[in-house]
Amino acid sequence: MTAPRPTTLEDAATRPAPTAETVQRRYATDETSRPRSAADREHIMQNLRFGADFSDHMASARWTADTGWSEMRLLPYGPVPLDPSANVLHYAQEVFEGLKAYRHADGSIWLFRPMFNAARLAASCRRMALPELPAEDFLSSLVDLIRTDHEYVPHVEGGSLYLRPFIFGDGAGLGVKPSASARYLCIASPSGPYFKNGFAPVSIWVTQQYHRAGPGGIGAAKTGGNYAASLLPQKEAQQKGYEQVCYLDSAQGANLEELGGMNVFVVRRDGSVQTPALTGTILEGGTRSSIVRLLQDEGRDVQETAINFEQLVADIRAGEVTEMFACGTAAVVTPIGKLGYEGGEVELPKGEVTSHVYDTLTGIQYGRVEDRHGWMYRVM
Ligand SMILES: *Cc1c(COP(=O)(O)O)cnc(C)c1O
């Protein structure tokens, strides 16, 4: 077992972020279009869904080897023309991020650890042979987009403006090679809670049949291909009556890895907490690493380690494991109420540690709990 120590991503993420005033206005707007009436926007804001409605603008930039990143603009939200032979459509050269803008009680708007997302986007780009967008250009796109579309940041508890930055190879040609050009876009979606039933336990199917990632593969990169691979397992799990899928390591099929888009934690009866170690096949979540820090701050024993699934089931049955939860930006923290697998099922209660982690993290994000690590970044 290893005690958590800062990862490369964590190191990059703790570099001081340039202020919003320093990075603003790199993404020029020719005209600010307001395609919606105030009444239509109000309708969206009164009926918040997740990732279904989008704000008026999107940030955009283009890359070629000759020019580097250029043409940084805020454009009206809308369709993107692509050559039918564009790399991304055939060979899936694409990476993305997900983060939220939160409104505090005084009306100010904040991001949670945007430098972590900047560093992870760059790391994903390296793995997918895409050009890296400099952290300051990444931050600037978020600041400019949020400031322009600030009316889309919800005022209600649990609401946020979900930001989806992504980069893809848009170069034309069917030759299998890194695209000669790339496009960066960031879109923004005013959102309510990710799971419709809120902080309710989810049921998980632990698949022995499918894997999410393999050694040397792309499991540690935030790229669409990993999600494409998860859609069939997810559909089959839902047919069995489970909401989400948890994957085991592909080398031995023995150890817990993560869900299709969320990391997992296990709480033991003695109060210690475990999460699967970052073996290269797990996506390093910012929520995961923040939770590790928060629990350590409280003096809790937190282990990043191998979690054997058979042993886990035995420990749940014996009462040695008392809670499990999944975490990620979109859903924050979600209690795991049930684990199903070929030949059995175990249930877990909704526990105190899970609720406490949820309250603390959302408390920091919405400005109700002291931000001791300087994680919050003021946009306006
Ligand atoms: C994005 C993602 C997570 C969660 O990362 P956060 O930074 O916490 O949002 C976990 N697993 C996978 C596979 C992901 O794509």
Side-chain angles (χ1 to χ4, degrees), residues 120-204:
R120 187 170 65 188
L121 183 66
S124 298
C125 281
R126 285 194 290 278
R127 179 62 183 86
M128 301 308 288
L130 281 163
E132 291 172 41
L133 183 70
E136 299 206 350
D137 291 333
F138 173 77
L139 264 185
S140 178
S141 73
L142 306 179
V143 168
D144 287 345
L145 180 58
I146 296 165
R147 286 186 173 193
T148 302
D149 287 351
H150 64 91
E151 286 159 316
Y152 284 95
V153 182
H155 287 264
V156 295
E157 173 70 48
S160 62
L161 184 63
Y162 182 78
L163 300 154
R164 169 55 60 86
F166 56 110
I167 297 176
F168 56 93
D170 65 350
L174 296 179
V176 179
K177 56 177 187 274
S179 175
S181 62
R183 184 93 190 256
Y184 168 67
L185 291 172
C186 180
I187 55 177
S189 172
S191 295
Y194 184 75
F195 289 117
K196 279 192 257 354
N197 39 358
F199 192 65
V202 292
S203 55
I204 305 269

Side-chain angles (χ1 to χ4, degrees), residues 120 212 222 227 258 260-263 283 285-287 328-329:
R120 187 170 65 188
R212 191 191 152 267
K222 206 166 175 75
Y227 281 73
E258 62 169 322
M262 285 188 277
N263 297 116
L283 196 284
T287 317
T329 298

Side-chain angles (χ1 to χ4, degrees), residues 283-301:
L283 196 284
E284 182 175 353
T287 317
R288 173 191 181 278
S289 79
S290 305
I291 290 172
V292 168
R293 271 307 275 282
L294 289 172
L295 292 172
Q296 283 176 330
D297 288 352
E298 295 171 357
R300 218 174 258 277
D301 175 17

Side-chain angles (χ1 to χ4, degrees), residues 79-97:
V80 178
L82 268 185
D83 191 287
S85 70
N87 181 308
V88 63
L89 298 178
H90 303 272
Y91 308 128
Q93 199 187 11
E94 188 264 1
V95 299
F96 68 97
E97 273 302 320

